[in-house]
Amino acid sequence: MSMDEHDDSLACSEYRELARREFVGAGASGIIAMGVAAYFPAWLPRITLADTHASARDVILSIFMRGGADGLTLCVPFGDPDYYASRATIAIPRPDQNIATKSIALDNFFAFPQAMASLMPAYRAKDLLVVHATGQSNSSRSHFDAQRFLEVGRPDDVTLVTGWLGRHLASTPAVRTSAPLRAIGLSSGLKKTLVGAPRTLPIPNPSTFAIGGNVATERARLAFLQDEYRVAPAPIQSAALDASNTIALLDTVGFTTYRPANGAVYPATFFGNALKSVATLIKADIGIEAAQVDISGWDLHAEEGPLAGEMFQVMTDFSNSLAAFYADVIDTVKGPGVTAVAFSEFGRNVRENGSRGTDHGRGTALFAVGKRIAGGRVLVNNWPGLATANLDSGQDLKVTIDYRDILAEIVQKRLQNDDLDFIFPGWTPTMRGVTR
């Protein structure tokens, strides 16, 4: 079962409604959608388009694990006895058990489930960092609210309309001024993470990006649109021309002939194909600075199945795809590096429910991968513990590291942007030593 084919019947009604809302909202297409996606609010400051001297700036891949990923399964705290006391049927076995489903020790306290085994090479190379008991401080258990707050980079703020990654791109000069596309969202509609970014488009499949209609007249219609929009007022003119130039540019990228390096094999899933497309764009050296990709399927209120069921399949897709991207791109690209970060809007309850699943929680696990990431470890800020007395609201893993601490350090140290007050308004980050 592929990522985009997961069983929605196992998710909560709010998440199913959210998925439908996003699908309907992404219905606009063509040049109009491109113009809206690339539009930058006039009131928002610090758009910078000059070429940058920051040759050490990484390309960033932002991965949103939508649905509330169970961090206690993704990175198992086998050293906490209350983990096993809380999960009678869905706990991942200890690494010292002599069974095929035993976990893989990361240290003397945390472990990966077998579904995450493909990430061990990156972990052993100290290029993969796991941050545990992380998340955000908002009080909502709603997917819709929590995802929005995470993407805009400010909890409980319903007025902020741009995304943290969009503001990063808006406040830094372009690596290449001539590039019509600085960032891409592998989706039908631009996710809020990238809203506000100049020269940014939502493109679900870059290999087929084109103007709809008769293929025989496509070039003529594209030339007509370029002529028409050359005299249009700003920002419509720049948005339309960037979009049409992007169509022409992507037409030159060899998506169908791309061969991953290091023997990497991307899963034939939406997520795997999306990461392969990002890899192709990065290696084509067309000026891409950021990419946003989603992987859904984490909202498992019933029959979570971390050993062989639904979550096992989603974790396998996540880990195999990210491991392929690591081998193909992060471990091979010369010059400016590539950093990937993956996170979810919240975690799950510590105790499993009566349906062998888990309900919406708080703290979860975050993953950062890169040659300049201080990995090979699980970063915690005093493990809060899973005993009932130590839980948030008596049911959830406490958040002891705000996710913005991790992103802020990556933005400053790997993306060469010191404008953290603009990117994460109202937040003073604590640098956790996640980069090297």
Side-chain angles (χ1 to χ4, degrees):
M1 183 179 294
S2 69
M3 184 281 297
D4 48 335
E5 295 172 334
H6 72 273
D7 188 354
D8 280 334
S9 67
L10 303 179
C12 68
S13 59
E14 186 222 12
Y15 195 73
R16 292 197 299 272
E17 178 59 32
L18 173 63
R20 285 192 293 268
R21 187 183 314 175
E22 288 180 339
F23 178 79
V24 172
S29 59
I31 291 296
I32 294 176
M34 295 172 201
V36 172
Y39 173 70
F40 195 85
W43 51 263
L44 198 61
R46 295 202 277 278
I47 289 187
T48 312
L49 294 178
D51 278 328
T52 181
H53 64 279
S55 59
R57 185 195 302 174
D58 281 6
V59 175
I60 184 166
L61 168 62
S62 173
I63 299 170
F64 203 130
M65 305 163 78
R66 292 189 189 271
D70 183 8
L72 297 175
T73 294
L74 287 161
C75 184
V76 182
F78 71 88
D80 190 326
D82 290 293
Y83 168 75
Y84 292 100
S86 300
R87 299 188 168 202
T89 68
I90 66 169
I92 305 295
R94 291 177 55 88
D96 55 4
Q97 289 189 252
N98 190 26
I99 53 177
T101 56
K102 68 179 181 180
S103 55
I104 305 165
L106 301 175
D107 53 30
N108 61 4
F109 193 89
F110 294 102
F112 273 163
Q114 287 294 326
M116 300 280 283
S118 57
L119 288 176
M120 287 305 297
Y123 186 85
R124 293 191 184 105
K126 298 186 178 181
D127 295 333
L128 168 61
L129 174 72
V130 184
V131 184
H132 220 317
T134 187
Q136 54 182 330
S137 59
N138 82 88
S139 58
S140 177
R141 293 180 186 273
S142 159
H143 290 292
F144 182 79
D145 291 340
Q147 288 180 17
R148 184 189 191 284
F149 297 146
L150 197 82
E151 292 187 273
V152 302
R154 191 172 188 179
D156 299 315
D157 189 340
V158 297
T159 65
L160 192 57
V161 298
T162 55
W164 69 270
L165 191 49
R167 293 193 298 276
H168 156 65
L169 291 165
S171 57
T172 53
V175 168
R176 189 173 304 161
T177 304
S178 60
L181 189 68
R182 290 185 64 185
I184 182 173
L186 279 292
S187 57
S188 298
L190 196 66
K191 301 300 184 182
K192 195 165 286 292
T193 299
L194 282 172
V195 169
R199 299 183 182 178
T200 297
L201 293 173
I203 305 174
N205 186 351
S207 67
T208 60
F209 189 52
I211 297 176
N214 192 323
V215 176
T217 62
E218 179 182 340
R219 293 187 181 279
R221 286 181 288 115
L222 185 58
F224 170 79
L225 288 171
Q226 286 180 314
D227 288 339
E228 284 293 299
Y229 280 103
R230 286 188 205 283
V231 296
I236 300 300
Q237 180 194 57
S238 60
L241 292 179
D242 283 345
S244 59
N245 289 336
T246 296
I247 292 174
L249 178 64
L250 293 183
D251 193 44
T252 68
V253 176
F255 291 101
T256 59
T257 58
Y258 179 75
R259 295 294 179 268
N262 276 344
V265 178
Y266 291 90
T269 62
F270 174 85
F271 186 60
N273 289 331
L275 294 198
K276 185 178 181 180
S277 292
V278 173
T280 307
L281 291 169
I282 291 173
K283 290 191 177 181
D285 192 26
I286 61 173
I288 287 289
E289 300 174 49
Q292 158 68 34
V293 180
D294 285 359
I295 177 169
S296 300
W298 306 100
D299 189 33
L300 297 167
H301 289 264
E303 302 299 337
E304 188 165 307
L307 298 178
E310 183 79 359
M311 188 164 181
F312 179 87
Q313 294 177 34
V314 180
M315 287 192 295
T316 300
D317 184 17
F318 170 76
S319 61
N320 286 356
S321 299
L322 187 55
F325 187 81
Y326 169 77
D328 179 26
V329 180
I330 292 175
D331 202 31
T332 62
V333 168
K334 306 301 181 183
V338 179
T339 294
V341 60
F343 46 83
S344 191
E345 68 265 30
F346 47 57
R348 316 296 293 190
N349 284 173
V350 172
R351 292 185 294 275
E352 67 177 86
N353 60 31
S355 301
R356 294 183 295 278
T358 51
D359 300 319
H360 300 176
R362 286 283 185 263
T364 187
L366 176 151
F367 303 85
V369 192
K371 301 305 289 185
R372 294 294 183 268
I373 292 296
R377 62 196 174 110
V378 180
L379 174 64
V380 293
N381 180 27
N382 297 321
W383 179 248
L386 302 181
T388 301
N390 297 327
L391 301 181
D392 186 333
S393 303
Q395 60 184 357
D396 302 319
L397 176 66
K398 287 181 179 177
V399 173
T400 59
I401 297 179
D402 191 290
Y403 79 102
R404 290 171 293 181
D405 288 351
I406 310 305
L407 296 183
E409 183 171 343
I410 290 173
V411 166
Q412 184 179 69
K413 303 296 186 181
R414 299 312 317 142
L415 306 187
Q416 306 295 309
N417 191 341
D418 292 324
D419 204 355
L420 299 183
D421 288 341
F422 178 59
I423 299 168
F424 300 105
W427 180 251
T428 302
T430 299
M431 296 299 165
R432 305 284 181 178
V434 304
T435 61
R436 59 189 179 199

